[in-house]
Amino acid sequence: MMPGFSLILVAIMSLFAVTPSSAAFYAVTPSTAAPAASPVTSKVYITWYGWPDNDPPGNAIAYPKNGGFHARHNAAGGTGTYTDPITLASDNREIPVGTRVYVPFVKRYFIMEDQCVECQHDWAKSRKYHFDLWIGGKGMPVHTVLARENALTRSLATVIANPPAGLPVDSAPLI
């Protein structure tokens, strides 16, 4: 190998690092890893789920904290702050379990800790980024929860993976 070739190769590879335009969430490190990964902004298909349309109905999650994952909760929930992000479901090949995400249009932080079958299908079929965000709705009429989920769904919403702390947070209930 030529002298200095390794250094040149590293420099070239750094040009292809994750940027806002490439937004490769699969390259993002979990929020509990050190050192912290840089923020990555991207456009993502956002849907919502809650107690009545979780599978099975309720607040169970695929990657609970006590399961040894980088999740924050043992069941779906959270307040949306940096220290208590709300549950996010997706494909763990698309975004690693434990990755924190900020969604500006609802001004809340989320954390990947659940699976979403539709998200898995979208990722496997076309590498389409799809996040299903927890809305709650315990004890509410099914039609009320589903109507609110539909009202908040966005075909392309801006999200920030590995966001900094201190972004604006809306503490009003989502539903």
Side-chain angles (χ1 to χ4, degrees), residues 121-139:
H121 176 74
D122 286 345
W123 185 250
K125 182 178 177 187
S126 61
R127 296 294 191 251
K128 177 181 179 180
Y129 289 104
H130 180 173
F131 295 169
D132 204 18
L133 307 177
W134 179 254
I135 198 166
K138 181 179 182 181

Side-chain angles (χ1 to χ4, degrees), residues 36-125:
S38 297
V40 176
T41 302
S42 188
K43 298 286 187 179
V44 175
Y45 176 42
I46 298 286
T47 55
W48 298 82
Y49 74 115
W51 280 80
D53 57 341
N54 194 12
D55 186 15
N59 65 345
I61 58 176
Y63 311 110
K65 180 179 180 179
N66 287 345
F69 302 104
H70 295 285
R72 295 275 188 227
H73 307 101
N74 289 318
T79 61
T81 64
Y82 185 84
T83 57
D84 187 26
I86 300 169
T87 301
L88 175 155
S90 192
D91 183 325
N92 65 359
R93 297 168 297 177
E94 172 184 350
I95 179 170
V97 174
T99 302
R100 187 181 283 118
V101 173
Y102 181 77
V103 181
F105 87 90
V106 291
K107 295 181 181 159
R108 286 171 178 80
Y109 291 90
F110 294 83
I111 191 164
M112 170 50 173
E113 57 188 3
D114 201 3
Q115 68 181 21
C116 162
V117 173
E118 288 179 23
C119 303
Q120 292 170 326
H121 176 74
D122 286 345
W123 185 250
K125 182 178 177 187

